[in-house]
PDB file of all heavy atoms in Angstrom:
ATOM      1  N   LEU A   1     -60.136 -18.940  59.143  1.00 98.00           N
ATOM      2  CA  LEU A   1     -60.512 -18.040  60.220  1.00 98.00           C
ATOM      3  C   LEU A   1     -59.402 -17.985  61.258  1.00 98.00           C
ATOM      4  O   LEU A   1     -58.725 -18.982  61.516  1.00 98.00           O
ATOM      5  CB  LEU A   1     -61.805 -18.502  60.883  1.00 98.00           C
ATOM      6  CG  LEU A   1     -63.012 -18.706  59.984  1.00 98.00           C
ATOM      7  CD1 LEU A   1     -64.226 -19.075  60.832  1.00 98.00           C
ATOM      8  CD2 LEU A   1     -63.286 -17.494  59.133  1.00 98.00           C
ATOM      9  N   SER A   2     -59.230 -16.814  61.853  1.00 98.00           N
ATOM     10  CA  SER A   2     -58.276 -16.627  62.943  1.00 98.00           C
ATOM     11  C   SER A   2     -59.004 -16.047  64.141  1.00 98.00           C
ATOM     12  O   SER A   2     -59.990 -15.315  63.983  1.00 98.00           O
ATOM     13  CB  SER A   2     -57.151 -15.669  62.522  1.00 98.00           C
ATOM     14  OG  SER A   2     -56.436 -16.158  61.422  1.00 98.00           O
ATOM     15  N   CYS A   3     -58.505 -16.351  65.305  1.00 98.00           N
ATOM     16  CA  CYS A   3     -59.044 -15.784  66.541  1.00 98.00           C
ATOM     17  C   CYS A   3     -57.853 -15.445  67.432  1.00 98.00           C
ATOM     18  O   CYS A   3     -57.157 -16.343  67.905  1.00 98.00           O
ATOM     19  CB  CYS A   3     -59.971 -16.768  67.228  1.00 98.00           C
ATOM     20  SG  CYS A   3     -60.490 -16.271  68.887  1.00 98.00           S
ATOM     21  N   GLU A   4     -57.634 -14.155  67.622  1.00 98.00           N
ATOM     22  CA  GLU A   4     -56.516 -13.706  68.450  1.00 98.00           C
ATOM     23  C   GLU A   4     -57.024 -13.352  69.834  1.00 98.00           C
ATOM     24  O   GLU A   4     -57.979 -12.584  69.982  1.00 98.00           O
ATOM     25  CB  GLU A   4     -55.815 -12.506  67.823  1.00 98.00           C
ATOM     26  CG  GLU A   4     -54.587 -12.066  68.600  1.00 98.00           C
ATOM     27  CD  GLU A   4     -53.779 -10.999  67.881  1.00 98.00           C
ATOM     28  OE1 GLU A   4     -54.208 -10.550  66.802  1.00 98.00           O
ATOM     29  OE2 GLU A   4     -52.727 -10.602  68.429  1.00 98.00           O
ATOM     30  N   ALA A   5     -56.364 -13.891  70.825  1.00 98.00           N
ATOM     31  CA  ALA A   5     -56.758 -13.683  72.213  1.00 98.00           C
ATOM     32  C   ALA A   5     -55.834 -12.688  72.909  1.00 98.00           C
ATOM     33  O   ALA A   5     -54.626 -12.648  72.630  1.00 98.00           O
ATOM     34  CB  ALA A   5     -56.733 -15.001  72.975  1.00 98.00           C
ATOM     35  N   SER A   6     -56.401 -11.909  73.796  1.00 98.00           N
ATOM     36  CA  SER A   6     -55.620 -11.001  74.626  1.00 98.00           C
ATOM     37  C   SER A   6     -56.252 -10.927  76.003  1.00 98.00           C
ATOM     38  O   SER A   6     -57.431 -11.268  76.177  1.00 98.00           O
ATOM     39  CB  SER A   6     -55.540  -9.606  73.998  1.00 98.00           C
ATOM     40  OG  SER A   6     -56.824  -9.052  73.847  1.00 98.00           O
ATOM     41  N   GLY A   7     -55.446 -10.519  77.001  1.00 98.00           N
ATOM     42  CA  GLY A   7     -55.967 -10.392  78.354  1.00 98.00           C
ATOM     43  C   GLY A   7     -56.034 -11.694  79.120  1.00 98.00           C
ATOM     44  O   GLY A   7     -56.623 -11.739  80.209  1.00 98.00           O
ATOM     45  N   LEU A   8     -55.455 -12.750  78.562  1.00 97.00           N
ATOM     46  CA  LEU A   8     -55.414 -14.030  79.260  1.00 97.00           C
ATOM     47  C   LEU A   8     -54.108 -14.744  78.889  1.00 97.00           C
ATOM     48  O   LEU A   8     -53.441 -14.375  77.931  1.00 97.00           O
ATOM     49  CB  LEU A   8     -56.626 -14.898  78.897  1.00 97.00           C
ATOM     50  CG  LEU A   8     -56.986 -15.157  77.426  1.00 97.00           C
ATOM     51  CD1 LEU A   8     -56.029 -16.118  76.763  1.00 97.00           C
ATOM     52  CD2 LEU A   8     -58.410 -15.695  77.332  1.00 97.00           C
ATOM     53  N   THR A   9     -53.767 -15.771  79.687  1.00 97.00           N
ATOM     54  CA  THR A   9     -52.590 -16.579  79.400  1.00 97.00           C
ATOM     55  C   THR A   9     -53.024 -17.683  78.453  1.00 97.00           C
ATOM     56  O   THR A   9     -53.549 -18.718  78.868  1.00 97.00           O
ATOM     57  CB  THR A   9     -51.992 -17.151  80.694  1.00 97.00           C
ATOM     58  OG1 THR A   9     -51.712 -16.074  81.600  1.00 97.00           O
ATOM     59  CG2 THR A   9     -50.705 -17.907  80.393  1.00 97.00           C
ATOM     60  N   PHE A  10     -52.840 -17.424  77.176  1.00 97.00           N
ATOM     61  CA  PHE A  10     -53.443 -18.251  76.126  1.00 97.00           C
ATOM     62  C   PHE A  10     -53.087 -19.720  76.288  1.00 97.00           C
ATOM     63  O   PHE A  10     -53.947 -20.581  76.081  1.00 97.00           O
ATOM     64  CB  PHE A  10     -52.987 -17.728  74.767  1.00 97.00           C
ATOM     65  CG  PHE A  10     -53.644 -18.371  73.587  1.00 97.00           C
ATOM     66  CD1 PHE A  10     -54.994 -18.143  73.325  1.00 97.00           C
ATOM     67  CD2 PHE A  10     -52.926 -19.192  72.728  1.00 97.00           C
ATOM     68  CE1 PHE A  10     -55.610 -18.719  72.225  1.00 97.00           C
ATOM     69  CE2 PHE A  10     -53.540 -19.772  71.631  1.00 97.00           C
ATOM     70  CZ  PHE A  10     -54.881 -19.533  71.382  1.00 97.00           C
ATOM     71  N   ARG A  11     -51.900 -20.061  76.657  1.00 96.00           N
ATOM     72  CA  ARG A  11     -51.487 -21.471  76.716  1.00 96.00           C
ATOM     73  C   ARG A  11     -52.219 -22.245  77.808  1.00 96.00           C
ATOM     74  O   ARG A  11     -52.129 -23.470  77.860  1.00 96.00           O
ATOM     75  CB  ARG A  11     -49.977 -21.578  76.916  1.00 96.00           C
ATOM     76  CG  ARG A  11     -49.485 -21.073  78.262  1.00 96.00           C
ATOM     77  CD  ARG A  11     -47.970 -21.189  78.372  1.00 96.00           C
ATOM     78  NE  ARG A  11     -47.471 -20.805  79.689  1.00 96.00           N
ATOM     79  CZ  ARG A  11     -47.258 -19.555  80.061  1.00 96.00           C
ATOM     80  NH1 ARG A  11     -47.481 -18.565  79.225  1.00 96.00           N
ATOM     81  NH2 ARG A  11     -46.797 -19.296  81.282  1.00 96.00           N
ATOM     82  N   TRP A  12     -52.930 -21.555  78.686  1.00 96.00           N
ATOM     83  CA  TRP A  12     -53.697 -22.215  79.736  1.00 96.00           C
ATOM     84  C   TRP A  12     -55.123 -22.534  79.299  1.00 96.00           C
ATOM     85  O   TRP A  12     -55.881 -23.103  80.079  1.00 96.00           O
ATOM     86  CB  TRP A  12     -53.754 -21.344  80.992  1.00 96.00           C
ATOM     87  CG  TRP A  12     -52.458 -21.219  81.712  1.00 96.00           C
ATOM     88  CD1 TRP A  12     -51.306 -21.916  81.493  1.00 96.00           C
ATOM     89  CD2 TRP A  12     -52.174 -20.326  82.790  1.00 96.00           C
ATOM     90  NE1 TRP A  12     -50.326 -21.510  82.357  1.00 96.00           N
ATOM     91  CE2 TRP A  12     -50.821 -20.548  83.175  1.00 96.00           C
ATOM     92  CE3 TRP A  12     -52.924 -19.383  83.488  1.00 96.00           C
ATOM     93  CZ2 TRP A  12     -50.217 -19.833  84.192  1.00 96.00           C
ATOM     94  CZ3 TRP A  12     -52.321 -18.684  84.513  1.00 96.00           C
ATOM     95  CH2 TRP A  12     -50.983 -18.908  84.854  1.00 96.00           C
ATOM     96  N   TYR A  13     -55.486 -22.172  78.111  1.00 97.00           N
ATOM     97  CA  TYR A  13     -56.871 -22.270  77.665  1.00 97.00           C
ATOM     98  C   TYR A  13     -57.025 -23.239  76.510  1.00 97.00           C
ATOM     99  O   TYR A  13     -56.324 -23.137  75.495  1.00 97.00           O
ATOM    100  CB  TYR A  13     -57.404 -20.906  77.231  1.00 97.00           C
ATOM    101  CG  TYR A  13     -57.710 -19.989  78.394  1.00 97.00           C
ATOM    102  CD1 TYR A  13     -56.686 -19.338  79.062  1.00 97.00           C
ATOM    103  CD2 TYR A  13     -59.016 -19.803  78.829  1.00 97.00           C
ATOM    104  CE1 TYR A  13     -56.962 -18.514  80.144  1.00 97.00           C
ATOM    105  CE2 TYR A  13     -59.308 -18.977  79.902  1.00 97.00           C
ATOM    106  CZ  TYR A  13     -58.272 -18.338  80.557  1.00 97.00           C
ATOM    107  OH  TYR A  13     -58.556 -17.532  81.623  1.00 97.00           O
ATOM    108  N   ALA A  14     -57.970 -24.167  76.658  1.00 97.00           N
ATOM    109  CA  ALA A  14     -58.447 -24.919  75.512  1.00 97.00           C
ATOM    110  C   ALA A  14     -59.327 -23.985  74.690  1.00 97.00           C
ATOM    111  O   ALA A  14     -59.958 -23.067  75.231  1.00 97.00           O
ATOM    112  CB  ALA A  14     -59.245 -26.134  75.976  1.00 97.00           C
ATOM    113  N   MET A  15     -59.378 -24.220  73.386  1.00 98.00           N
ATOM    114  CA  MET A  15     -60.114 -23.325  72.496  1.00 98.00           C
ATOM    115  C   MET A  15     -61.114 -24.103  71.651  1.00 98.00           C
ATOM    116  O   MET A  15     -60.944 -25.308  71.405  1.00 98.00           O
ATOM    117  CB  MET A  15     -59.151 -22.588  71.567  1.00 98.00           C
ATOM    118  CG  MET A  15     -58.114 -21.742  72.273  1.00 98.00           C
ATOM    119  SD  MET A  15     -58.828 -20.377  73.212  1.00 98.00           S
ATOM    120  CE  MET A  15     -59.494 -19.362  71.880  1.00 98.00           C
ATOM    121  N   GLY A  16     -62.144 -23.397  71.218  1.00 98.00           N
ATOM    122  CA  GLY A  16     -63.141 -24.035  70.366  1.00 98.00           C
ATOM    123  C   GLY A  16     -63.705 -23.070  69.352  1.00 98.00           C
ATOM    124  O   GLY A  16     -63.588 -21.846  69.501  1.00 98.00           O
ATOM    125  N   TRP A  17     -64.290 -23.635  68.309  1.00 98.00           N
ATOM    126  CA  TRP A  17     -65.040 -22.880  67.306  1.00 98.00           C
ATOM    127  C   TRP A  17     -66.470 -23.394  67.305  1.00 98.00           C
ATOM    128  O   TRP A  17     -66.702 -24.608  67.317  1.00 98.00           O
ATOM    129  CB  TRP A  17     -64.436 -23.042  65.915  1.00 98.00           C
ATOM    130  CG  TRP A  17     -63.165 -22.298  65.674  1.00 98.00           C
ATOM    131  CD1 TRP A  17     -61.894 -22.792  65.751  1.00 98.00           C
ATOM    132  CD2 TRP A  17     -63.030 -20.920  65.292  1.00 98.00           C
ATOM    133  NE1 TRP A  17     -60.984 -21.806  65.451  1.00 98.00           N
ATOM    134  CE2 TRP A  17     -61.653 -20.649  65.172  1.00 98.00           C
ATOM    135  CE3 TRP A  17     -63.944 -19.890  65.044  1.00 98.00           C
ATOM    136  CZ2 TRP A  17     -61.174 -19.395  64.804  1.00 98.00           C
ATOM    137  CZ3 TRP A  17     -63.465 -18.647  64.684  1.00 98.00           C
ATOM    138  CH2 TRP A  17     -62.091 -18.401  64.564  1.00 98.00           C
ATOM    139  N   PHE A  18     -67.393 -22.462  67.251  1.00 98.00           N
ATOM    140  CA  PHE A  18     -68.817 -22.748  67.141  1.00 98.00           C
ATOM    141  C   PHE A  18     -69.379 -21.913  65.996  1.00 98.00           C
ATOM    142  O   PHE A  18     -68.742 -20.961  65.545  1.00 98.00           O
ATOM    143  CB  PHE A  18     -69.546 -22.390  68.440  1.00 98.00           C
ATOM    144  CG  PHE A  18     -69.196 -23.266  69.601  1.00 98.00           C
ATOM    145  CD1 PHE A  18     -67.989 -23.111  70.263  1.00 98.00           C
ATOM    146  CD2 PHE A  18     -70.066 -24.259  70.038  1.00 98.00           C
ATOM    147  CE1 PHE A  18     -67.644 -23.928  71.335  1.00 98.00           C
ATOM    148  CE2 PHE A  18     -69.742 -25.073  71.116  1.00 98.00           C
ATOM    149  CZ  PHE A  18     -68.521 -24.905  71.761  1.00 98.00           C
ATOM    150  N   ARG A  19     -70.576 -22.262  65.540  1.00 98.00           N
ATOM    151  CA  ARG A  19     -71.205 -21.457  64.493  1.00 98.00           C
ATOM    152  C   ARG A  19     -72.711 -21.400  64.719  1.00 98.00           C
ATOM    153  O   ARG A  19     -73.297 -22.287  65.358  1.00 98.00           O
ATOM    154  CB  ARG A  19     -70.901 -22.026  63.113  1.00 98.00           C
ATOM    155  CG  ARG A  19     -71.517 -23.385  62.827  1.00 98.00           C
ATOM    156  CD  ARG A  19     -71.030 -23.907  61.472  1.00 98.00           C
ATOM    157  NE  ARG A  19     -71.621 -25.195  61.144  1.00 98.00           N
ATOM    158  CZ  ARG A  19     -71.279 -25.922  60.081  1.00 98.00           C
ATOM    159  NH1 ARG A  19     -70.341 -25.483  59.237  1.00 98.00           N
ATOM    160  NH2 ARG A  19     -71.864 -27.088  59.848  1.00 98.00           N
ATOM    161  N   GLN A  20     -73.301 -20.345  64.182  1.00 98.00           N
ATOM    162  CA  GLN A  20     -74.743 -20.170  64.297  1.00 98.00           C
ATOM    163  C   GLN A  20     -75.290 -19.643  62.981  1.00 98.00           C
ATOM    164  O   GLN A  20     -74.938 -18.541  62.547  1.00 98.00           O
ATOM    165  CB  GLN A  20     -75.105 -19.223  65.436  1.00 98.00           C
ATOM    166  CG  GLN A  20     -76.593 -19.133  65.701  1.00 98.00           C
ATOM    167  CD  GLN A  20     -76.918 -18.418  66.993  1.00 98.00           C
ATOM    168  OE1 GLN A  20     -76.099 -17.651  67.513  1.00 98.00           O
ATOM    169  NE2 GLN A  20     -78.087 -18.673  67.536  1.00 98.00           N
ATOM    170  N   ALA A  21     -76.143 -20.438  62.373  1.00 96.00           N
ATOM    171  CA  ALA A  21     -76.817 -20.036  61.140  1.00 96.00           C
ATOM    172  C   ALA A  21     -78.114 -19.318  61.493  1.00 96.00           C
ATOM    173  O   ALA A  21     -78.670 -19.528  62.582  1.00 96.00           O
ATOM    174  CB  ALA A  21     -77.099 -21.265  60.286  1.00 96.00           C
ATOM    175  N   PRO A  22     -78.622 -18.486  60.585  1.00 92.00           N
ATOM    176  CA  PRO A  22     -79.868 -17.756  60.869  1.00 92.00           C
ATOM    177  C   PRO A  22     -81.002 -18.710  61.223  1.00 92.00           C
ATOM    178  O   PRO A  22     -81.219 -19.711  60.536  1.00 92.00           O
ATOM    179  CB  PRO A  22     -80.146 -17.036  59.545  1.00 92.00           C
ATOM    180  CG  PRO A  22     -78.813 -16.884  58.915  1.00 92.00           C
ATOM    181  CD  PRO A  22     -78.040 -18.111  59.296  1.00 92.00           C
ATOM    182  N   GLY A  23     -81.676 -18.414  62.322  1.00 95.00           N
ATOM    183  CA  GLY A  23     -82.822 -19.221  62.727  1.00 95.00           C
ATOM    184  C   GLY A  23     -82.470 -20.539  63.383  1.00 95.00           C
ATOM    185  O   GLY A  23     -83.364 -21.344  63.682  1.00 95.00           O
ATOM    186  N   LYS A  24     -81.183 -20.767  63.618  1.00 96.00           N
ATOM    187  CA  LYS A  24     -80.757 -22.035  64.227  1.00 96.00           C
ATOM    188  C   LYS A  24     -79.981 -21.770  65.503  1.00 96.00           C
ATOM    189  O   LYS A  24     -79.487 -20.668  65.736  1.00 96.00           O
ATOM    190  CB  LYS A  24     -79.893 -22.829  63.250  1.00 96.00           C
ATOM    191  CG  LYS A  24     -80.626 -23.294  62.010  1.00 96.00           C
ATOM    192  CD  LYS A  24     -79.773 -24.244  61.188  1.00 96.00           C
ATOM    193  CE  LYS A  24     -80.523 -24.782  59.990  1.00 96.00           C
ATOM    194  NZ  LYS A  24     -79.717 -25.737  59.203  1.00 96.00           N
ATOM    195  N   GLU A  25     -79.851 -22.802  66.312  1.00 97.00           N
ATOM    196  CA  GLU A  25     -79.060 -22.696  67.530  1.00 97.00           C
ATOM    197  C   GLU A  25     -77.567 -22.761  67.192  1.00 97.00           C
ATOM    198  O   GLU A  25     -77.169 -23.330  66.171  1.00 97.00           O
ATOM    199  CB  GLU A  25     -79.429 -23.821  68.492  1.00 97.00           C
ATOM    200  CG  GLU A  25     -80.836 -23.717  69.030  1.00 97.00           C
ATOM    201  CD  GLU A  25     -81.126 -24.753  70.103  1.00 97.00           C
ATOM    202  OE1 GLU A  25     -80.289 -25.650  70.301  1.00 97.00           O
ATOM    203  OE2 GLU A  25     -82.185 -24.663  70.739  1.00 97.00           O
ATOM    204  N   ARG A  26     -76.790 -22.207  68.090  1.00 97.00           N
ATOM    205  CA  ARG A  26     -75.348 -22.275  67.899  1.00 97.00           C
ATOM    206  C   ARG A  26     -74.893 -23.728  68.064  1.00 97.00           C
ATOM    207  O   ARG A  26     -75.375 -24.434  68.954  1.00 97.00           O
ATOM    208  CB  ARG A  26     -74.644 -21.359  68.901  1.00 97.00           C
ATOM    209  CG  ARG A  26     -73.170 -21.161  68.623  1.00 97.00           C
ATOM    210  CD  ARG A  26     -72.646 -19.846  69.156  1.00 97.00           C
ATOM    211  NE  ARG A  26     -72.890 -19.644  70.569  1.00 97.00           N
ATOM    212  CZ  ARG A  26     -72.565 -18.517  71.208  1.00 97.00           C
ATOM    213  NH1 ARG A  26     -72.004 -17.521  70.549  1.00 97.00           N
ATOM    214  NH2 ARG A  26     -72.815 -18.406  72.491  1.00 97.00           N
ATOM    215  N   GLU A  27     -73.958 -24.150  67.210  1.00 98.00           N
ATOM    216  CA  GLU A  27     -73.509 -25.532  67.246  1.00 98.00           C
ATOM    217  C   GLU A  27     -71.990 -25.610  67.286  1.00 98.00           C
ATOM    218  O   GLU A  27     -71.280 -24.728  66.785  1.00 98.00           O
ATOM    219  CB  GLU A  27     -74.030 -26.311  66.035  1.00 98.00           C
ATOM    220  CG  GLU A  27     -73.495 -25.842  64.696  1.00 98.00           C
ATOM    221  CD  GLU A  27     -73.932 -26.731  63.543  1.00 98.00           C
ATOM    222  OE1 GLU A  27     -74.667 -27.709  63.740  1.00 98.00           O
ATOM    223  OE2 GLU A  27     -73.515 -26.440  62.398  1.00 98.00           O
ATOM    224  N   PHE A  28     -71.509 -26.701  67.853  1.00 98.00           N
ATOM    225  CA  PHE A  28     -70.082 -26.963  67.958  1.00 98.00           C
ATOM    226  C   PHE A  28     -69.508 -27.286  66.580  1.00 98.00           C
ATOM    227  O   PHE A  28     -70.122 -27.994  65.781  1.00 98.00           O
ATOM    228  CB  PHE A  28     -69.862 -28.133  68.911  1.00 98.00           C
ATOM    229  CG  PHE A  28     -68.469 -28.682  68.887  1.00 98.00           C
ATOM    230  CD1 PHE A  28     -67.447 -28.039  69.546  1.00 98.00           C
ATOM    231  CD2 PHE A  28     -68.184 -29.840  68.188  1.00 98.00           C
ATOM    232  CE1 PHE A  28     -66.152 -28.538  69.514  1.00 98.00           C
ATOM    233  CE2 PHE A  28     -66.907 -30.360  68.145  1.00 98.00           C
ATOM    234  CZ  PHE A  28     -65.886 -29.707  68.813  1.00 98.00           C
ATOM    235  N   VAL A  29     -68.283 -26.774  66.342  1.00 98.00           N
ATOM    236  CA  VAL A  29     -67.591 -27.059  65.081  1.00 98.00           C
ATOM    237  C   VAL A  29     -66.298 -27.838  65.340  1.00 98.00           C
ATOM    238  O   VAL A  29     -66.086 -28.896  64.760  1.00 98.00           O
ATOM    239  CB  VAL A  29     -67.268 -25.759  64.323  1.00 98.00           C
ATOM    240  CG1 VAL A  29     -66.445 -26.061  63.072  1.00 98.00           C
ATOM    241  CG2 VAL A  29     -68.548 -25.021  63.952  1.00 98.00           C
ATOM    242  N   ALA A  30     -65.434 -27.297  66.204  1.00 98.00           N
ATOM    243  CA  ALA A  30     -64.129 -27.934  66.430  1.00 98.00           C
ATOM    244  C   ALA A  30     -63.548 -27.446  67.745  1.00 98.00           C
ATOM    245  O   ALA A  30     -63.890 -26.363  68.209  1.00 98.00           O
ATOM    246  CB  ALA A  30     -63.172 -27.632  65.283  1.00 98.00           C
ATOM    247  N   ALA A  31     -62.673 -28.265  68.330  1.00 98.00           N
ATOM    248  CA  ALA A  31     -62.034 -27.911  69.593  1.00 98.00           C
ATOM    249  C   ALA A  31     -60.595 -28.394  69.592  1.00 98.00           C
ATOM    250  O   ALA A  31     -60.247 -29.357  68.900  1.00 98.00           O
ATOM    251  CB  ALA A  31     -62.795 -28.515  70.766  1.00 98.00           C
ATOM    252  N   ILE A  32     -59.778 -27.715  70.403  1.00 97.00           N
ATOM    253  CA  ILE A  32     -58.353 -28.067  70.499  1.00 97.00           C
ATOM    254  C   ILE A  32     -57.905 -27.897  71.943  1.00 97.00           C
ATOM    255  O   ILE A  32     -58.338 -26.968  72.638  1.00 97.00           O
ATOM    256  CB  ILE A  32     -57.525 -27.199  69.526  1.00 97.00           C
ATOM    257  CG1 ILE A  32     -56.078 -27.670  69.443  1.00 97.00           C
ATOM    258  CG2 ILE A  32     -57.606 -25.710  69.898  1.00 97.00           C
ATOM    259  CD1 ILE A  32     -55.321 -27.072  68.245  1.00 97.00           C
ATOM    260  N   SER A  33     -57.054 -28.811  72.390  1.00 97.00           N
ATOM    261  CA  SER A  33     -56.528 -28.728  73.744  1.00 97.00           C
ATOM    262  C   SER A  33     -55.554 -27.561  73.868  1.00 97.00           C
ATOM    263  O   SER A  33     -55.099 -27.009  72.857  1.00 97.00           O
ATOM    264  CB  SER A  33     -55.838 -30.034  74.110  1.00 97.00           C
ATOM    265  OG  SER A  33     -54.741 -30.281  73.234  1.00 97.00           O
ATOM    266  N   ARG A  34     -55.199 -27.226  75.075  1.00 95.00           N
ATOM    267  CA  ARG A  34     -54.384 -26.022  75.274  1.00 95.00           C
ATOM    268  C   ARG A  34     -52.979 -26.166  74.692  1.00 95.00           C
ATOM    269  O   ARG A  34     -52.366 -25.175  74.324  1.00 95.00           O
ATOM    270  CB  ARG A  34     -54.334 -25.648  76.756  1.00 95.00           C
ATOM    271  CG  ARG A  34     -53.609 -26.621  77.665  1.00 95.00           C
ATOM    272  CD  ARG A  34     -53.639 -26.105  79.082  1.00 95.00           C
ATOM    273  NE  ARG A  34     -52.830 -26.900  79.982  1.00 95.00           N
ATOM    274  CZ  ARG A  34     -51.547 -26.686  80.216  1.00 95.00           C
ATOM    275  NH1 ARG A  34     -50.914 -25.697  79.612  1.00 95.00           N
ATOM    276  NH2 ARG A  34     -50.883 -27.449  81.053  1.00 95.00           N
ATOM    277  N   THR A  35     -52.498 -27.384  74.613  1.00 94.00           N
ATOM    278  CA  THR A  35     -51.175 -27.594  74.019  1.00 94.00           C
ATOM    279  C   THR A  35     -51.252 -27.838  72.518  1.00 94.00           C
ATOM    280  O   THR A  35     -50.219 -27.857  71.839  1.00 94.00           O
ATOM    281  CB  THR A  35     -50.478 -28.792  74.669  1.00 94.00           C
ATOM    282  OG1 THR A  35     -51.245 -29.964  74.396  1.00 94.00           O
ATOM    283  CG2 THR A  35     -50.337 -28.602  76.170  1.00 94.00           C
ATOM    284  N   GLY A  36     -52.448 -28.074  72.016  1.00 95.00           N
ATOM    285  CA  GLY A  36     -52.602 -28.409  70.607  1.00 95.00           C
ATOM    286  C   GLY A  36     -52.430 -29.883  70.309  1.00 95.00           C
ATOM    287  O   GLY A  36     -52.526 -30.295  69.154  1.00 95.00           O
ATOM    288  N   SER A  37     -52.216 -30.689  71.348  1.00 94.00           N
ATOM    289  CA  SER A  37     -51.948 -32.112  71.123  1.00 94.00           C
ATOM    290  C   SER A  37     -53.193 -32.893  70.725  1.00 94.00           C
ATOM    291  O   SER A  37     -53.096 -33.931  70.072  1.00 94.00           O
ATOM    292  CB  SER A  37     -51.349 -32.735  72.385  1.00 94.00           C
ATOM    293  OG  SER A  37     -52.234 -32.572  73.485  1.00 94.00           O
ATOM    294  N   ASN A  38     -54.354 -32.406  71.134  1.00 96.00           N
ATOM    295  CA  ASN A  38     -55.612 -33.103  70.825  1.00 96.00           C
ATOM    296  C   ASN A  38     -56.585 -32.160  70.141  1.00 96.00           C
ATOM    297  O   ASN A  38     -56.730 -30.994  70.548  1.00 96.00           O
ATOM    298  CB  ASN A  38     -56.246 -33.643  72.103  1.00 96.00           C
ATOM    299  CG  ASN A  38     -55.447 -34.786  72.699  1.00 96.00           C
ATOM    300  OD1 ASN A  38     -54.872 -35.593  71.977  1.00 96.00           O
ATOM    301  ND2 ASN A  38     -55.402 -34.839  74.006  1.00 96.00           N
ATOM    302  N   THR A  39     -57.256 -32.677  69.128  1.00 97.00           N
ATOM    303  CA  THR A  39     -58.294 -31.918  68.441  1.00 97.00           C
ATOM    304  C   THR A  39     -59.509 -32.802  68.232  1.00 97.00           C
ATOM    305  O   THR A  39     -59.422 -34.038  68.259  1.00 97.00           O
ATOM    306  CB  THR A  39     -57.819 -31.390  67.071  1.00 97.00           C
ATOM    307  OG1 THR A  39     -57.509 -32.502  66.221  1.00 97.00           O
ATOM    308  CG2 THR A  39     -56.608 -30.498  67.203  1.00 97.00           C
ATOM    309  N   PHE A  40     -60.651 -32.147  68.009  1.00 98.00           N
ATOM    310  CA  PHE A  40     -61.898 -32.874  67.746  1.00 98.00           C
ATOM    311  C   PHE A  40     -62.748 -32.012  66.838  1.00 98.00           C
ATOM    312  O   PHE A  40     -62.850 -30.797  67.036  1.00 98.00           O
ATOM    313  CB  PHE A  40     -62.633 -33.169  69.055  1.00 98.00           C
ATOM    314  CG  PHE A  40     -63.859 -33.999  68.876  1.00 98.00           C
ATOM    315  CD1 PHE A  40     -63.757 -35.367  68.688  1.00 98.00           C
ATOM    316  CD2 PHE A  40     -65.124 -33.417  68.881  1.00 98.00           C
ATOM    317  CE1 PHE A  40     -64.890 -36.147  68.510  1.00 98.00           C
ATOM    318  CE2 PHE A  40     -66.260 -34.184  68.704  1.00 98.00           C
ATOM    319  CZ  PHE A  40     -66.144 -35.559  68.519  1.00 98.00           C
ATOM    320  N   HIS A  41     -63.342 -32.656  65.826  1.00 98.00           N
ATOM    321  CA  HIS A  41     -64.169 -31.934  64.861  1.00 98.00           C
ATOM    322  C   HIS A  41     -65.550 -32.554  64.797  1.00 98.00           C
ATOM    323  O   HIS A  41     -65.700 -33.782  64.873  1.00 98.00           O
ATOM    324  CB  HIS A  41     -63.519 -31.968  63.482  1.00 98.00           C
ATOM    325  CG  HIS A  41     -62.172 -31.314  63.429  1.00 98.00           C
ATOM    326  ND1 HIS A  41     -61.033 -31.941  63.883  1.00 98.00           N
ATOM    327  CD2 HIS A  41     -61.790 -30.084  62.993  1.00 98.00           C
ATOM    328  CE1 HIS A  41     -60.004 -31.124  63.728  1.00 98.00           C
ATOM    329  NE2 HIS A  41     -60.439 -29.986  63.194  1.00 98.00           N
ATOM    330  N   ALA A  42     -66.564 -31.728  64.625  1.00 98.00           N
ATOM    331  CA  ALA A  42     -67.918 -32.221  64.433  1.00 98.00           C
ATOM    332  C   ALA A  42     -67.986 -33.056  63.167  1.00 98.00           C
ATOM    333  O   ALA A  42     -67.243 -32.812  62.202  1.00 98.00           O
ATOM    334  CB  ALA A  42     -68.889 -31.048  64.352  1.00 98.00           C
TER     335      ALA A  42
END
């Protein structure tokens, strides 16, 4: 999966991925710091 950002200064933003299955609440999948130095996965 790719996520392209526009309208913001991307390097200032930490990013995350979430997912939502039918009938379920949205849940955390993965996150990354703004520099990419740190990541965390469910």
Side-chain angles (χ1 to χ4, degrees):
L1 305 184
S2 300
C3 171
E4 184 172 3
S6 60
L8 52 73
T9 304
F10 187 69
R11 67 181 184 278
W12 290 350
Y13 285 77
M15 301 296 293
W17 286 98
F18 292 76
R19 67 186 181 186
Q20 187 169 21
K24 295 188 177 182
E25 293 187 351
R26 191 153 55 184
E27 65 174 1
F28 168 78
V29 175
I32 188 166
S33 61
R34 67 180 187 89
T35 63
S37 58
N38 291 325
T39 63
F40 184 78
H41 299 79

